[in-house]
Amino acid sequence: GAGVSQSPRYKVAKRGQDVALRCDPISGHVSLFWYQQALGQGPEFLTYFQNEAQLDKSGLPSDRFFAERPEGSVSTLKIQRTQQEDSAVYLCASSRRGRTDTQYFGPGTRLTVL
Amino acid sequence: GQNIDQPTEMTATEGAIVQINCTYQTSGFNGLFWYQQHAGEAPTFLSYNVLDGLEEKGRFSSFLSRSKGYSYLLLKELQMKDSASYLCALFDYKLSFGAGTTVTVRA
């Protein structure tokens, strides 16, 4: 299909390990967003890219969280020294144009930190 | 924050109508989205309201009143596959979601 894809779908990490989560947006989509969804809650905004530029990272919960999109397509969300409170589903979304278009979500990566 | 409130759970019978309300306390947004999310899956787009009024798309309709800080999603002719979480989200380039309403459709 031509939707947003994410990998891995599931990740188990020991506390203190680093993890990297990948997002492949819909081809040609300019904007890319990362959200964090805790169990039983709605997604919470983490960061936003327009092409390769990270225009908003105000939602990243700490400096252990880092995101990049070096060529304006695939994006990686990296979490260093994972903590138990990082356990959540990490959703990626992309939209066609800049700031005004519908966002289409990937299936998410479920991260469990033991 | 934007204090987006939705009921936690609703139950309805197959073939019936259900209305999911969403209230918020901000005026600074471009529009309001509704997404459907089945357990363990991605949120999928249902509707988007920019102006006040009703938007109808098949069995689903969404309403927005900016002056009242209120929106609702109306699901008609409920089917078992409509059992899911429904998320209200304010849009100002990023999405700010409510906690979601879990709808259970019973036969």
Side-chain angles (χ1 to χ4, degrees):
Chain A
V4 178
S5 61
Q6 293 186 245
S7 61
R9 290 294 314 277
Y10 303 91
K11 177 70 179 176
V12 178
K14 291 183 180 177
R15 192 166 54 139
Q17 283 184 331
D18 298 348
V19 298
L21 312 180
R22 177 187 169 107
C23 172
D24 284 83
I26 295 171
S27 178
H29 276 198
V30 167
S31 295
L32 186 145
F33 301 79
W34 284 97
Y35 293 86
Q36 179 191 59
Q37 187 172 25
L39 191 64
Q41 299 298 316
E44 295 274 349
F45 170 79
L46 293 176
T47 188
Y48 160 57
F49 290 85
Q50 187 166 324
N51 296 306
E52 69 279 2
Q54 188 174 20
L55 299 186
D56 186 350
K57 53 182 181 180
S58 63
L60 296 176
S62 77
D63 58 8
R64 296 186 295 105
F65 287 70
F66 171 76
E68 60 183 6
R69 194 186 184 198
E71 297 178 0
S73 54
V74 170
S75 176
T76 304
L77 176 67
K78 298 179 180 178
I79 309 173
Q80 297 177 324
R81 303 181 304 282
T82 52
Q83 303 294 317
Q84 283 190 319
E85 61 262 29
D86 300 335
S87 295
V89 175
Y90 291 85
L91 294 164
C92 175
S94 69
S95 65
R96 187 189 307 273
R97 293 188 293 270
R99 297 185 164 192
T100 60
D101 215 356
T102 298
Q103 294 177 28
Y104 296 92
F105 284 82
T109 295
R110 180 176 296 279
L111 173 65
T112 302
V113 181
L114 302 177
Chain B
Q2 288 153 317
N3 294 325
I4 302 165
D5 292 314
Q6 305 178 231
T8 303
E9 295 180 341
M10 301 182 76
T11 302
T13 305
E14 197 173 14
I17 299 173
V18 70
Q19 177 174 315
I20 306 169
N21 296 327
C22 171
T23 59
Y24 56 86
Q25 279 122 39
T26 183
S27 58
F29 64 99
N30 294 336
L32 188 144
F33 278 89
W34 284 94
Y35 281 83
Q36 180 192 60
Q37 187 176 28
H38 285 98
E41 298 183 10
T44 55
F45 168 73
L46 288 179
S47 70
Y48 179 50
N49 293 70
V50 176
L51 302 175
D52 283 6
L54 190 66
E55 293 281 342
E56 296 190 82
K57 291 180 70 174
R59 295 189 298 113
F60 295 169
S61 303
S62 59
F63 172 84
L64 175 65
S65 169
R66 286 178 180 265
S67 61
K68 294 188 169 124
Y70 167 68
S71 172
Y72 68 73
L73 179 70
L74 196 68
L75 285 62
K76 304 175 203 171
E77 300 167 18
L78 279 172
Q79 302 176 8
M80 300 299 287
K81 67 179 182 180
D82 297 331
S83 292
S85 179
Y86 291 85
L87 299 161
C88 163
L90 297 178
F91 178 66
D92 64 351
Y93 84 84
K94 62 189 177 189
L95 292 165
S96 298
F97 286 90
T101 299
T102 300
V103 172
T104 302
V105 181
R106 294 184 174 165

